[in-house]
Amino acid sequence: MTLGIRQLQTLRAVGTTAAIVVPDSITRRLCALGLMASEASGSFAHITPAGLRALADAVDAGRISLFVMPEKKP
């Protein structure tokens, strides 16, 4: 399965104990793929172990970095 950059960015954003309060179309698709899960009401989507694995695989493959240092502005 190949995830798009916006899907990977969403997984990266919730890759900790964070949750998305109002899921969008990307989040709903990640839930359908089993990479995120949400409450019965459809709110509070969070990453699943499979989502963490997909995120780790993307990082290992060089498709996305987990953290980018901000550039210093002159």
Side-chain angles (χ1 to χ4, degrees), residues 9 29 38 41 67 74:
Q9 289 170 339
R29 178 66 180 144
S38 65
S41 65
F67 182 77

Side-chain angles (χ1 to χ4, degrees), residues 42-61:
S43 62
F44 296 103
H46 58 89
I47 197 164
T48 64
L52 287 171
R53 180 76 258 154
L55 181 59
D57 290 344
V59 170
D60 289 345

Side-chain angles (χ1 to χ4, degrees), residues 25-38:
S25 61
I26 294 170
T27 305
R28 286 190 296 274
R29 178 66 180 144
L30 290 169
C31 287
L33 293 171
L35 303 177
M36 291 186 75
S38 65

